[in-house]
Amino acid sequence: MRSLITTSAIAALALSLAAGGAFAASRHEGTTSTGPENGDYYQGIFGNDDVAPPAPDARPMTSAVVVQQPRLATILHELHAANHRMDAERASGKLGPVAFNRLRREESGIRADATEVAAMHHGMIPTSAYAQLQRDVRRLDWNIARSA
């Protein structure tokens, strides 16, 4: 008795899945209406949808170099924090004038490099340049800790 119930339940499940798949496939293949009134999920992908392609400015950037605008702000913020740390170490007497001036020059060089790269790329910093600037900031932080 149990095998009859199990067999019929499995058969009903298989038939419903097959019928559901066939029904879903027939809905997308046989549509002849164009435009948003057909309710097609794939609207705009097929050639007969009468949908204009996106404007060139609205297309996502597909080059290998990915840039983000807040990267410059992140670098400048980290340099600002390093600047405050140098001032605090100098005020507490842990950092001498020679080391302070050397670290100040290093910080201003990194800041100049970051703004120059951003100016060349319309205010954004590419991934490779951002990684190099991050390494420079980390080295500056390490030099501040070592000099203090």
Side-chain angles (χ1 to χ4, degrees):
M1 181 75 167
R2 233 179 351 159
S3 67
L4 178 64
I5 294 172
T6 306
T7 305
S8 61
I10 291 174
L13 181 64
L15 286 174
S16 66
L17 287 175
F23 179 72
S26 69
R27 295 249 325 158
H28 290 292
E29 292 173 1
T31 54
T32 59
S33 174
T34 60
E37 64 274 357
N38 69 355
D40 192 7
Y41 176 79
Y42 298 102
Q43 177 186 355
I45 294 176
F46 302 113
N48 64 347
D49 281 345
D50 296 332
V51 177
D57 294 331
R59 289 185 182 161
M61 189 172 178
T62 58
S63 67
V65 178
V66 178
V67 292
Q68 292 179 354
Q69 192 162 356
R71 290 180 175 174
L72 178 62
T74 303
I75 293 291
L76 295 179
H77 175 71
E78 290 174 353
L79 289 174
H80 187 69
N83 199 359
H84 278 295
R85 187 171 167 202
M86 284 188 285
D87 289 338
E89 297 290 333
R90 175 80 170 122
S92 68
K94 296 179 183 176
L95 198 59
V98 174
F100 178 76
N101 289 333
R102 179 180 49 82
L103 292 171
R104 217 28 116 148
R105 281 192 305 272
E106 187 177 345
E107 182 263 336
S108 65
I110 295 169
R111 185 181 306 273
D113 289 344
T115 54
E116 180 182 344
V117 169
M120 288 189 317
H121 294 88
H122 307 291
M124 296 183 262
I125 298 178
T127 303
S128 59
Y130 181 69
Q132 180 60 45
L133 289 168
Q134 286 285 348
R135 283 191 293 272
D136 292 344
V137 170
R138 299 293 168 253
R139 188 178 63 240
L140 174 66
D141 286 338
W142 185 79
N143 287 338
I144 292 171
R146 188 180 54 125
S147 298

